[in-house]
Amino acid sequence: MYASDNIWRPFTSLVSKSKPLKIVKAEGLYLYTEDGNKIADLNASWWVNIHGHSHPYISEAIRKQLEKFGHVMFSDCTHEAAETLAKKIVNFLPQNHKKIFFSDNGSTAVEVALKISRQYFYLKGEQRGRYLAFHGGYHGDTFGGMSAAERNVFNAAFRNLLFDTFLIPLPDDDKIPDILNTIEIEHKKNPFIAFIYEPLVQGAAGMKMYEARYLEQIINRCSELGILTIADEVMTGFGRTGTFLASDQMKSKPDMVCLSKGLTGGFMPLGLTSVSDKVVEVFENENPMHTFYHGHSYTAYALACSAAAANIELFEKENTLQKVQRMESAYRNCILQLRGVSGIQNLRCKGGIFAAEADIQNYKGEDYLNPLKGKMQEYFLERGMLIRPLGNTFYLIPPYCIREEEIYSAADCFRNFVEGLER
Ligand SMILES: *Cc1c(COP(=O)(O)O)cnc(C)c1O
């Protein structure tokens, strides 16, 4: 049996034969295992790492905070780390977002947004009962996050306990008129609280990319109808789509933004939800019903806030978004190389994300449980690269310190893998 015998791993069967890699050190792009292997972290440790592992600037910021204290209760106290972070992050958020609510992770950042939006209408005396979201959406593993998402294998056991969400397809040229119509008709029948979406790229659905101009039309329609908008930028934030936020690629801005994953550069768990003035105003009232009764023990965890502030400073110091641009050009070269290779479909990239489907007769289907996933992962691992495909979707979402050659080797590896599959 394995050394981790009494540990229940996330998204992993309890009878899985796969042995976790025991990591003893991580630096830049690479993870170092107990048995002496060096492995490229092409998955940025589940999409969280930004500048590379063990970046000395972030490590130092945490160390400095540790000399003062680790954590204090945030309901009655405050501290410099949280205040500095809040001041820095508002510069990267929509202009009318002045309030930041801290929590622990992406799911909690989403819960906070879902709850604030519902309480907003409650306080205005409007009994709205459902949310609007995209098919294929993923918003975390808590009940709110599951409820606002696609119904699938992740949440099947909880189906009848999830609250009501109306799902619309991802927009394209053909679908957009119908989507805009449906929103209006459904809103009249049973008004929506908020529209929650992963802007430009749906992560867990298989790095599905869609165009900003269609999303913008949906956001505008929601605003016209008085439906709040929540950009779940948990995955897309911090440069992943080429701009600091994916929402930066649109003129219309959401009422709330959820951030987590890349927020601390991948060093510490932390989530935050930013809220627009229009929503905040309704809570500015002495009546106790207007208080937002939500808080986690580690709200605004000081060590994590210090890491997040350092992470944001690095974006300026190291011109990080330019690195993402260079990654995107390398991805474009990969697309040219792989285009037309039999069994490789839907080559695409956006910012720091590259994706394609392996489309092979024996392994049809986008199902998360497609056995191709395990085969592909093993093939890459034997060649010193850690990936985590979503069904038959291969993708790269590495830390931004990756070099072009390292991107090209990963793309070659994908090609060799697909070409070597039995048909
Ligand atoms: C990962 C993710 C979440 C959940 O974040 P956790 O930190 O894993 O709870 C929510 N929304 C999106 C878009 C995500 O990619």
Side-chain angles (χ1 to χ4, degrees):
M1 275 289 159
Y2 313 134
S4 53
D5 244 358
N6 42 13
I7 293 174
W8 195 332
R9 283 189 287 146
F11 280 83
T12 306
S13 161
L14 273 182
V15 293
S16 165
K17 299 276 184 297
S18 80
K19 198 170 169 235
L21 302 166
K22 188 148 183 189
I23 306 303
V24 291
K25 184 179 117 165
E27 205 172 85
L29 179 66
Y30 293 95
L31 310 176
Y32 297 84
T33 64
E34 192 177 45
D35 45 13
N37 287 321
K38 177 182 171 190
I39 297 165
D41 183 4
L42 300 178
N43 189 44
S45 286
W46 243 355
W47 321 348
V48 302
N49 196 283
I50 296 289
H51 307 282
H53 289 281
S54 306
H55 194 294
Y57 192 76
I58 301 179
S59 303
E60 184 53 27
I62 297 171
R63 217 173 285 124
K64 275 198 194 126
Q65 175 58 42
L66 200 48
E67 281 167 15
K68 297 183 213 162
F69 60 90
H71 175 63
V72 293
M73 167 174 67
F74 206 60
S75 50
D76 303 79
C77 307
T78 185
H79 49 76
E80 201 185 323
E83 288 176 0
T84 306
L85 169 57
K87 246 185 236 134
K88 281 188 192 298
I89 196 77
V90 290
N91 295 326
F92 293 91
L93 291 164
Q95 269 202 334
N96 60 345
H97 287 214
K98 299 272 162 50
K99 289 284 184 200
I100 306 295
F101 195 98
F102 289 109
S103 62
D104 302 349
N105 54 65
S107 304
T108 55
V110 165
E111 292 289 335
V112 165
L114 295 172
K115 285 178 71 178
I116 288 180
S117 55
R118 160 70 193 207
Q119 191 172 346
Y120 168 83
F121 286 111
Y122 174 83
L123 294 174
K124 282 164 63 99
E126 285 185 50
Q127 281 299 338
R128 298 195 186 186
R130 61 175 180 165
Y131 292 85
L132 177 66
F134 280 132
H135 271 295
Y138 174 78
H139 300 288
D141 296 336
T142 49
F143 271 86
M146 287 195 293
S147 297
E150 179 64 273
R151 305 300 190 251
N152 56 25
V153 62
F154 297 168
N155 52 45
F158 316 103
R159 183 80 57 101
N160 67 326
L161 301 176
L162 304 183
F163 59 66
D164 193 12
T165 299
F166 187 83
L167 300 177
I168 49 175
L170 272 198
D172 61 21
D173 208 22
D174 292 335
K175 293 194 191 110
I176 190 70
D178 196 40
I179 291 172
L180 296 174
N181 248 334
T182 306
I183 294 174
E184 199 158 340
I185 293 166
E186 287 293 329
H187 183 66
K188 282 199 180 112
K189 273 200 244 166
N190 183 358
F192 295 118
I193 299 164
F195 169 49
I196 180 164
Y197 56 94
E198 295 162 87
L200 308 189
V201 185
Q202 283 188 319
M207 297 299 163
K208 291 214 161 72
M209 301 180 184
Y210 64 103
E211 284 183 46
R213 61 195 163 119
Y214 301 126
L215 177 58
E216 185 141 37
Q217 288 183 52
I218 297 176
I219 293 171
N220 289 343
R221 181 58 52 95
C222 287
S223 303
E224 286 158 25
L225 295 168
I227 303 165
L228 294 176
T229 50
I230 303 169
D232 178 354
E233 296 244 16
V234 169
M235 187 281 281
T236 52
F238 297 90
R240 288 292 179 211
T241 68
T243 43
F244 192 84
L245 299 179
S247 296
D248 294 342
Q249 297 180 34
M250 283 159 283
K251 275 203 223 69
S252 310
K253 302 300 176 196
D255 295 296
M256 282 178 245
V257 174
C258 305
L259 293 173
S260 183
K261 292 203 165 97
L263 175 55
T264 63
F267 275 65
M268 293 225 156
L270 184 70
L272 70 79
T273 310
S274 71
V275 189
S276 73
D277 294 344
K278 168 179 126 183
V279 176
V280 168
E281 274 166 21
V282 173
F283 288 81
E284 290 173 330
N285 189 309
E286 279 168 20
N287 180 336
M289 292 314 289
H290 288 250
T291 300
F292 183 51
Y293 293 105
H294 186 110
H296 299 283
S297 315
Y298 281 93
T299 298
Y301 182 37
L303 293 182
C305 288
S306 65
N311 172 41
I312 295 166
E313 283 162 18
L314 278 179
F315 269 81
E316 282 156 352
K317 277 188 204 299
E318 297 194 340
N319 220 334
T320 302
L321 291 179
Q322 209 164 33
K323 291 187 192 177
V324 181
Q325 266 171 27
R326 262 180 264 134
M327 285 170 74
E328 191 171 348
S329 333
Y331 289 160
R332 289 194 194 288
N333 293 334
C334 295
I335 290 176
L336 292 177
Q337 291 285 314
L338 298 178
R339 188 166 280 157
V341 172
S342 149
I344 298 181
Q345 296 285 342
N346 305 329
L347 287 154
R348 58 197 183 273
C349 68
K350 203 178 281 282
I353 307 169
F354 173 90
E357 270 76 47
D359 187 35
I360 301 289
Q361 199 55 45
N362 295 345
Y363 300 95
K364 278 283 180 210
E366 287 183 19
D367 192 341
Y368 180 79
L369 304 176
N370 190 326
L372 199 61
K373 175 189 169 175
K375 263 180 134 37
M376 203 190 302
Q377 199 168 27
E378 203 178 301
Y379 186 91
F380 273 77
L381 202 50
E382 281 163 5
R383 286 153 187 83
M385 291 174 253
L386 180 61
I387 57 165
R388 192 177 161 82
L390 288 153
N392 66 338
T393 302
F394 164 76
Y395 67 88
L396 300 171
I397 184 169
Y400 306 151
C401 62
I402 194 168
R403 288 177 294 124
E404 279 167 44
E405 309 89 83
E406 291 161 327
I407 290 176
Y408 297 139
S409 327
D412 281 345
C413 190
F414 179 54
R415 179 196 195 123
N416 294 336
F417 168 74
V418 171
E419 287 182 338
L421 284 171
E422 289 165 46
R423 328 246 146 170

